[in-house]
Amino acid sequence: MNPNKGNQVVSGSDQTTWVNNEIWDDVKSVEFKMTGEFEDITFLGDPRTYKKYTGFTGEGTITVNKSRSRGAVILAEAFKTGVMPDVKIVTKLVNPSTKKAERVAISGVIFTEFGHSSEAKGIIEEELPFTFSEYEVLETM
């Protein structure tokens, strides 16, 4: 048994996030996922339901510790004109023990909301939910 096995596990502190080639150093959390879409397939005389893959949807959220107007810079004009900007997000998660990394690029990103909420003595965060239409796994651990 490896007594240092816990050191092999990566943490969010080991991640860097780029949005349109700019490192966002105020990111608190990033979540993105691809969800498969399936249609039910049935046949007469067969009680089972089969699944047919029809595509996927991509969605996620970047949460930043509010220090800049991230959402307003990207979305204020886009929401008024209906012209969404091209956005690409790249994440890189590095395992400090092995120096191996997982790097993923997602593109066709459309941020769907912006704003913030605040309360007395509270740290202000800004959540930026998004959808995306393309992804590429650039590197794996």
Side-chain angles (χ1 to χ4, degrees), residues 7-129:
N7 289 335
Q8 302 294 317
V9 177
V10 294
S11 74
S13 298
D14 303 321
Q15 180 166 305
T16 304
T17 303
W18 292 263
V19 177
N20 286 348
N21 298 318
E22 176 191 354
I23 290 178
W24 280 20
D25 59 0
D26 52 356
V27 172
K28 180 179 179 182
S29 65
V30 175
E31 176 214 355
F32 63 90
K33 63 182 175 180
M34 287 71 66
T35 303
E37 296 176 341
F38 300 86
E39 289 287 328
D40 287 349
I41 307 294
T42 58
F43 299 95
L44 290 174
D46 186 343
R48 291 177 283 270
T49 299
Y50 300 89
K51 298 290 185 182
K52 169 73 175 168
Y53 176 73
T54 60
F56 74 92
T57 58
E59 60 185 9
T61 302
I62 292 180
T63 302
V64 295
N65 290 310
K66 184 100 171 155
S67 59
R68 298 167 52 185
S69 301
R70 295 282 192 196
V73 167
I74 294 170
L75 293 174
E77 190 65 21
F79 278 10
K80 286 182 179 181
T81 64
V83 178
M84 297 295 128
D86 286 334
V87 177
K88 180 179 182 179
I89 299 171
V90 176
T91 61
K92 182 177 182 180
L93 184 60
V94 177
N95 184 325
S97 296
T98 65
K99 305 300 183 215
K100 293 182 179 180
E102 177 179 280
R103 207 164 38 103
V104 176
I106 55 178
S107 54
V109 172
I110 296 177
F111 287 103
T112 58
E113 297 177 20
F114 76 98
H116 74 266
S117 62
S118 60
E119 62 183 68
K121 296 186 180 184
I123 300 297
I124 297 177
E125 298 174 351
E126 183 175 17
E127 284 190 358
L128 296 166

